[in-house]
């Protein structure tokens, strides 16, 4: 995961300015395809250029030979007809050489690249950096560990070199993140020294990063590292002299920082729950089994299930949470991924007023696709029957299947699936039950976490995590079903969700009169 930033930086030579390439594994894969297409164009251009230069070289040689032949005729300037012919030939030579220099055929090759492609991609790499920085802040990983590709004794990526650490410091500076600048600049300095001072790191710029961020953060940079350079003393004196004037401006800039993910979590769900969520995600504490927890083969009194029963595991009793293992098959997973592959869009969240859907990566980062009913009937009739079998509820009024793929730092902050009071679906009521399928395995990562219940569920391919969002007796919300998707450090996480509504179910209450 850590090498994504470097990879994205190298691939974003020719990419669309509006595309967020880091938000899903699908897009990161497509990035290689885009690069391959553009490199084919460049290869064609290089071949045409080679041919052009060879033609130009041969033509110039022929012109020189012609010129030398003319010069041997000492009396040719006295023959006016010959002079006219020479001048005409010279003009033709000029136009031919000019045409070879401009070489329209070579330039035509670039028309294969969309004119609307952004040739820099700088701001897109900045978005990818912010995702990586959010991961670092959420899991409280020091730059020294992150650059080593290690976290909690797990391998989370390849080792980062001094150049890559310096890039991290650069983007932290652009994101008004002085603590990040200091953390990564100091790490870049250490690697720069140990790696033989590679030229990709400018010591003056590194000095600037460390001095400016140290003055702001209050750390004594002189005790952290020993810096040297022609502009070091100037930077130090300047920042110390003008710090009082800059202080308010710096604080205002920090307010605009786009990386403080924990503030978003705490604002949304409270300080205590945010910490519980982070601890569950960070340490991967397994769910606690009690004497009431059970694992069983379940047929739900269905005759055909006797030969192939559901593998049912109790996770929690109130609210009811269960895992059904191996209920989604490999061929179905392949169909689902194939169906969604070219149609995924960046995930959005509802605005505070509920009127719009916004791209808010701090709240949710990933790509989604809602399966249309036509496709659902064609591919998923059997799956609908399976859902009805192990949940006991009808899928006839269920919401469309939602497929999600996570990318660099993909996550979803803790939230409730059920709608707030007054925001229910007028036709079908509220989301009664959530059925969440895992389409891939994610080892020791990508958990679904219930912070109020101290429960996490691992991403296990083919399994379905099922829970009740409402009390079955009266339809009131289960606040304890607050759950979120842990920020993804490593792996390729795919999920598919189906929400079952109140309408059409056999319930002891009338949801329309709640």
């Amino acid at each position: 995961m850590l090498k994504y930033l470097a990879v994205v930086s190298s691939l974003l030579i020719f990419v669309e300015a509006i595309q967020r390439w880091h938000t899903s594994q699908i897009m990161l894969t497509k990035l290689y395809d885009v690069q391959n297409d553009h490199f084919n164009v460049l290869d064609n251009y290089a071949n045409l250029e080679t041919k052009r230069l060879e033609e130009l070289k041969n033509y110039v040689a022929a012109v020189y030979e012609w010129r030398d032949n003319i010069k041997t005729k000492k009396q040719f300037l006295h023959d006016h007809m010959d002079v006219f012919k020479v001048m005409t030939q010279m003009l033709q030579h000029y136009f031919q050489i000019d045409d070879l220099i401009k070489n329209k055929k070579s330039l035509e090759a670039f028309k294969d690249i969309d004119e609307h492609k952004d040739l820099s991609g700088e701001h897109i790499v900045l978005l990818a950096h912010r995702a990586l920085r959010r991961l670092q802040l959420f899991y409280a990983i020091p730059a020294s560990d992150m650059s080593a590709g290690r976290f909690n004794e797990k391998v989370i990526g390849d080792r980062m070199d001094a150049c890559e650490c310096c890039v991290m410091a650069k983007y932290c500076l652009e994101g008004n993140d002085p603590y990040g600048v200091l953390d990564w600049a100091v790490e870049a300095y250490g690697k720069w020294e140990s790696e033989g001072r590679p030229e990709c790191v400018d010591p003056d710029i590194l000095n600037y990063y460390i001095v400016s961020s140290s003055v702001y953060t209050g750390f004594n940079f002189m005790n952290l590292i020993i810096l040297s350079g022609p502009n070091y003393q100037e930077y130090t004196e300047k920042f110390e002299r003008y710090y009082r004037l800059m202080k308010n401006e710096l604080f205002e800039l920090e307010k605009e920082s786009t990386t403080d993910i924990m503030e978003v979590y705490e604002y949304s769900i409270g300080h205590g729950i945010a910490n519980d969520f982070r601890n569950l995600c960070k340490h991967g504490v397994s769910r606690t089994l009690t004497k009431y927890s059970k694992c069983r083969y379940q047929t739900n009194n269905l005759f055909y299930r006797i030969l192939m029963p559901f593998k049912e595991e109790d996770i929690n009793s109130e609210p009811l949470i269960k895992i059904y293992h191996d209920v989604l098959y490999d061929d179905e997973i392949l169909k689902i991924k194939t169906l969604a592959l070219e149609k995924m869009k960046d995930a959005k969240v509802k605005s505070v007023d509920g009127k719009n859907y916004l791209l808010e990566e701090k709240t949710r980062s990933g790509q989604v696709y809602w399966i249309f009913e036509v496709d659902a009937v064609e591919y998923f009739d059997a799956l609908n029957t399976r859902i009805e079998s192990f949940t006991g509820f009808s899928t006839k009024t269920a919401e469309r299947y939602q497929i999600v793929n996570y990318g660099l730092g993909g996550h979803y902050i803790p939230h409730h699936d059920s709608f707030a009071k007054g925001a229910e679906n007028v036709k079908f009521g509220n989301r009664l039950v959530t059925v969440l399928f895992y389409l891939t395995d994610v080892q020791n990562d990508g958990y679904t976490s219930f912070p109020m219940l101290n429960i996490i569920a691992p991403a296990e391919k083919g399994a379905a995590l099922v829970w009740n969002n409402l009390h079955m007796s009266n339809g009131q919300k289960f606040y304890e079903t607050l759950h979120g998707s842990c920020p993804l450090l490593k792996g390729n996480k795919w999920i598919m969700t189906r929400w079952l509504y109140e309408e059409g179910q056999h319930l002891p209450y009338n949801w329309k009169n709640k």
Side-chain angles (χ1 to χ4, degrees):
M1 186 66 78
L2 295 177
K3 279 291 181 182
Y4 279 174
L5 185 65
V7 171
V8 170
S9 299
S10 66
L11 296 181
L12 286 172
I13 300 174
F14 304 107
V15 294
E16 294 181 12
I18 59 171
Q19 185 62 66
R20 293 169 180 253
W21 293 91
H22 66 282
T23 52
S24 75
Q25 289 281 346
I26 290 176
M27 292 309 301
L28 290 169
T29 303
K30 287 180 181 179
L31 195 57
Y32 282 103
D33 297 334
V34 170
Q35 187 200 39
N36 186 60
D37 291 343
H38 290 150
F39 278 7
N40 287 337
V41 172
L42 291 175
D43 189 51
N44 183 35
Y45 173 76
N47 290 335
L48 289 171
E49 278 292 280
T50 302
K51 182 180 178 182
R52 176 186 71 85
L53 292 173
E54 189 65 29
E55 289 179 359
L56 182 62
K57 180 181 176 181
N58 294 335
Y59 190 77
V60 170
V63 170
Y64 269 106
E65 184 179 350
W66 171 82
R67 178 178 175 276
D68 291 341
N69 184 49
I70 291 296
K71 287 178 67 176
T72 59
K73 298 179 179 180
K74 296 182 179 180
Q75 300 300 319
F76 81 97
L77 288 176
H78 298 288
D79 189 331
H80 293 186
M81 291 295 295
D82 287 344
V83 169
F84 176 75
K85 287 167 65 176
V86 168
M87 293 177 67
T88 303
Q89 285 286 347
M90 290 176 65
L91 186 63
Q92 289 177 346
H93 292 158
Y94 169 79
F95 284 127
Q96 183 66 25
I97 291 172
D98 184 63
D99 186 59
L100 286 170
I101 290 173
K102 292 179 179 178
N103 190 21
K104 294 179 180 179
K105 289 183 179 179
S106 297
L107 297 175
E108 286 288 324
F110 280 107
K111 288 189 176 179
D112 291 335
I113 297 179
D114 191 336
E115 294 179 359
H116 301 291
K117 302 289 185 188
D118 179 6
L119 302 185
S120 65
E122 187 79 9
H123 58 290
I124 305 174
V125 183
L126 177 59
L127 291 172
H129 161 268
R130 288 174 180 172
L132 196 60
R133 179 69 176 139
R134 284 197 302 269
L135 276 176
Q136 185 187 4
L137 287 169
F138 180 85
Y139 288 107
I141 310 173
S144 56
D145 287 352
M146 205 163 195
S147 65
R150 300 290 185 274
F151 172 63
N152 276 2
E153 301 181 353
K154 294 190 301 186
V155 176
I156 58 173
D158 295 335
R159 180 182 175 277
M160 299 175 76
D161 59 27
C163 309
E164 291 162 343
C165 292
C166 196
V167 169
M168 288 293 292
K170 170 195 171 185
Y171 284 118
C172 284
L173 184 71
E174 292 186 15
N176 307 319
D177 179 12
Y179 293 95
V181 175
L182 187 60
D183 194 17
W184 283 103
V186 171
E187 183 64 19
Y189 174 83
K191 288 182 178 290
W192 179 67
E193 289 282 16
S194 65
E195 294 171 6
R197 301 192 171 190
E199 293 182 0
C200 59
V201 176
D202 186 328
D204 282 344
I205 292 177
L206 202 58
N207 287 350
Y208 171 79
Y209 290 161
I210 294 173
V211 172
S212 60
S213 57
S214 295
V215 169
Y216 174 76
T217 59
F219 287 100
N220 188 344
F221 53 87
M222 294 296 293
N223 293 334
L224 288 173
I225 57 176
I226 299 174
L227 292 167
S228 60
N231 298 320
Y232 169 65
Q233 192 65 32
E234 178 187 347
Y235 286 143
T236 306
E237 292 177 357
K238 183 184 295 183
F239 277 95
E240 287 183 340
R241 185 183 311 126
Y242 296 114
Y243 173 66
R244 291 181 182 276
L245 297 176
M246 295 189 301
K247 187 174 181 180
N248 291 335
E249 182 72 16
L250 288 169
F251 275 114
E252 288 302 314
L253 283 173
E254 191 187 18
K255 290 179 183 177
E256 300 173 11
S257 172
T258 56
T259 54
D260 198 346
I261 188 66
M262 288 313 295
E263 283 188 9
V264 177
Y265 276 75
E266 290 170 7
Y267 175 79
S268 301
I269 57 177
H271 176 76
I273 296 176
N275 278 337
D276 291 341
F277 179 71
R278 176 159 67 174
N279 288 333
L280 282 169
C281 294
K282 185 174 181 179
H283 301 294
V285 180
S286 61
R287 52 191 178 276
T288 303
L289 297 179
T290 68
K291 63 180 181 180
Y292 301 106
S293 301
K294 294 179 182 178
C295 297
R296 68 183 69 82
Y297 287 107
Q298 179 64 266
T299 64
N300 284 346
N301 298 320
L302 297 170
F303 176 75
Y304 64 91
R305 279 290 166 189
I306 294 175
L307 296 177
M308 196 167 60
F310 296 117
K311 300 172 185 176
E312 183 181 76
E313 179 182 355
D314 294 338
I315 305 302
N316 196 67
S317 58
E318 192 75 6
L320 187 68
I321 304 176
K322 293 178 181 286
I323 293 180
Y324 293 90
H325 301 274
D326 302 322
V327 293
L328 200 60
Y329 310 126
D330 288 346
D331 62 329
E332 292 175 321
I333 291 173
L334 181 59
K335 286 179 181 178
I336 292 165
K337 288 184 178 180
T338 303
L339 192 63
L341 203 57
E342 300 299 327
K343 304 169 185 174
M344 304 290 279
K345 301 292 183 183
D346 285 324
K348 296 182 178 182
V349 293
K350 260 188 180 180
S351 59
V352 177
D353 59 13
K355 295 180 179 179
N356 299 299
Y357 284 89
L358 309 172
L359 277 172
E360 293 286 354
E361 283 194 38
K362 288 184 185 180
T363 302
R364 186 185 190 188
S365 177
Q367 290 206 317
V368 304
Y369 172 63
W370 295 84
I371 298 178
F372 289 100
E373 291 302 323
V374 174
D375 297 321
V377 169
E378 183 178 353
Y379 292 111
F380 302 122
D381 267 356
L383 184 55
N384 286 335
T385 301
R386 215 172 303 148
I387 291 173
E388 292 177 347
S389 298
F390 62 69
T391 64
F393 293 104
S394 172
T395 60
K396 287 187 173 71
T397 58
E399 214 164 329
R400 286 189 292 164
Y401 285 99
Q402 183 198 69
I403 303 171
V404 183
N405 180 225
Y406 293 97
L408 175 55
H411 74 117
Y412 197 167
I413 69 169
H415 60 281
H416 291 99
D417 282 355
S418 55
F419 300 118
K421 187 175 182 179
E424 298 92 340
N425 186 295
V426 176
K427 191 174 180 181
F428 301 122
N430 213 333
R431 290 170 170 172
L432 183 69
V433 175
T434 295
V435 182
L436 189 156
F437 294 98
Y438 295 105
L439 310 184
T440 51
D441 289 309
V442 185
Q443 295 296 328
N444 302 315
D445 205 352
Y447 304 109
T448 302
S449 172
F450 294 81
M452 296 180 73
L453 298 170
N454 194 34
I455 289 173
I456 60 169
E460 175 193 323
K461 184 179 178 180
L465 180 65
V466 180
W467 67 89
N468 294 346
N469 295 304
L470 309 176
H471 288 268
M472 291 298 161
S473 60
N474 55 20
Q476 296 301 307
K477 177 187 287 192
F478 265 125
Y479 286 95
E480 296 84 355
T481 59
L482 184 80
H483 65 284
S485 179
C486 295
L488 195 63
L489 272 168
K490 185 178 181 179
N492 184 11
K493 183 180 178 182
W494 284 77
I495 63 170
M496 182 173 73
T497 308
R498 182 81 150 158
W499 288 285
L500 312 184
Y501 278 88
E502 293 173 292
E503 175 63 22
Q505 315 299 349
H506 296 290
L507 300 170
Y509 64 91
N510 185 345
W511 68 267
K512 295 180 179 179
N513 295 330
K514 275 196 304 182

